[in-house]
Amino acid sequence: MNKPVLLVIAHGSRDPRHAASVHALVERVRSLRPGLRVETGFLDFNVPSVHGVLESLAAEDVRDVVALPLLLTRAFHAKADIPAVLRQAPPRLRIRQADVLGPSPLLLDALERRLYEAGLTPADKSSTGVVLASAGSTDPEAIAVIADIAREWRRTGWCAVRPAFASASLPRTEDAVRELRAAGCAGVAVAPYVLAPGFLPDRIARGAAGADVLADVLGPAPEVARAVLGRYDEARRPSLAALGA
């Protein structure tokens, strides 16, 4: 049985760092799963477009595709934009939409990796408060998920974890930094819960001016690549079970 093509669907950005980070992540995914065909399509701003990739796959007589939203929460893009684009795909394609990447323990591991790369150590956890800084959303489900992740992450030993948002929701990163200072944490770190650089991650970075540590975006962290493959495998599972594979 031929494996379905994995189509990673990224948002896209005018900021060239965004596409570069997406492509670096996709390359890491390929390195972890040799033999799996992985393509990248963008919803906006960058090429190739999702529709263009789907047309090309159909022209090559590809039949099965797993479309994976490169998103951390199930907000508007996952619920509306991406399904709408996939409905316009060539009818010969059988497309399954995978779930978004988060929440996942792998992403918490990636967040900690970035904090340690920025200078923290495991010994700092009990004295350090962390701002879990996401892009933000008007979707209540997405906001609730970020709050749940913050609570779960706090239980792993950090002094405190506060969610913050770069847009659409409150508090902002700078407000959460001040809250953690007031709560008595000896150190404050900001962990961007975003996949690639761009306008909103830059806003998070500006809001982190009062923190002691600012981690990098998740980008091509190996844990993120493993999360991508995990969602791909989950999307394939019904057909694998049916075939005894």
Side-chain angles (χ1 to χ4, degrees), residues 73-77 79 136-145 165 168-169:
T73 58
R74 287 192 73 253
F76 182 78
H77 293 304
K79 293 177 179 179
S137 173
T138 57
D139 188 307
E141 178 187 350
I143 298 304
V145 165
F165 307 94
S169 308

Side-chain angles (χ1 to χ4, degrees), residues 40 43 54 72 95 118 127 135 151 156 174 184 190 198:
T40 309
L43 290 174
L54 293 172
L72 297 175
I95 302 175
S127 61
R151 283 191 291 271
T156 68
E174 52 268 35
V190 173

Side-chain angles (χ1 to χ4, degrees), residues 107-162:
L107 298 180
L108 289 182
D109 291 343
L111 286 165
E112 295 208 354
R113 171 188 290 275
R114 293 304 190 217
L115 285 170
Y116 296 150
E117 289 171 349
L120 293 180
T121 70
D124 296 317
K125 290 185 78 166
S126 62
S127 61
T128 302
V130 180
V131 178
L132 179 68
S134 76
S137 173
T138 57
D139 188 307
E141 178 187 350
I143 298 304
V145 165
I146 298 300
D148 288 344
I149 292 169
R151 283 191 291 271
E152 179 182 347
W153 202 16
R154 164 67 181 83
R155 289 195 288 266
T156 68
W158 295 100
C159 174
V161 180
R162 297 282 191 276

Side-chain angles (χ1 to χ4, degrees), residues 35-236:
L36 173 63
R37 181 172 178 180
V38 187
E39 299 290 342
T40 309
F42 295 91
L43 290 174
D44 207 352
F45 302 116
N46 302 105
V47 292
S49 68
V50 175
H51 183 72
V53 174
L54 293 172
E55 290 279 357
S56 295
L57 291 173
E60 294 177 37
D61 289 330
V62 169
R63 295 299 303 274
D64 292 295
V65 177
V66 169
L68 186 143
L70 200 59
L71 300 168
L72 297 175
T73 58
R74 287 192 73 253
F76 182 78
H77 293 304
K79 293 177 179 179
D81 282 353
I82 290 174
V85 171
L86 297 180
R87 283 195 293 270
Q88 298 170 12
R92 67 171 285 107
L93 293 175
R94 292 190 293 256
I95 302 175
R96 281 161 281 179
Q97 181 175 330
D99 202 357
V100 297
L101 297 183
S104 166
L106 286 168
L107 298 180
L108 289 182
D109 291 343
L111 286 165
E112 295 208 354
R113 171 188 290 275
R114 293 304 190 217
L115 285 170
Y116 296 150
E117 289 171 349
L120 293 180
T121 70
D124 296 317
K125 290 185 78 166
S126 62
S127 61
T128 302
V130 180
V131 178
L132 179 68
S134 76
S137 173
T138 57
D139 188 307
E141 178 187 350
I143 298 304
V145 165
I146 298 300
D148 288 344
I149 292 169
R151 283 191 291 271
E152 179 182 347
W153 202 16
R154 164 67 181 83
R155 289 195 288 266
T156 68
W158 295 100
C159 174
V161 180
R162 297 282 191 276
F165 307 94
S167 68
S169 308
L170 296 173
R172 294 288 183 256
T173 303
E174 52 268 35
D175 300 325
V177 169
R178 285 192 291 268
E179 285 180 23
L180 291 170
R181 292 283 187 211
C185 296
V188 176
V190 173
Y193 190 60
V194 292
L195 286 166
F199 176 75
L200 293 178
D202 284 349
R203 181 179 287 176
I204 289 171
R206 290 193 297 273
D212 302 296
V213 171
L214 169 63
D216 200 358
V217 299
L218 297 175
E223 296 85 358
V224 179
R226 286 163 54 202
V228 167
L229 288 170
R231 295 306 190 204
Y232 170 81
D233 291 337
E234 289 170 6
R236 289 185 66 210

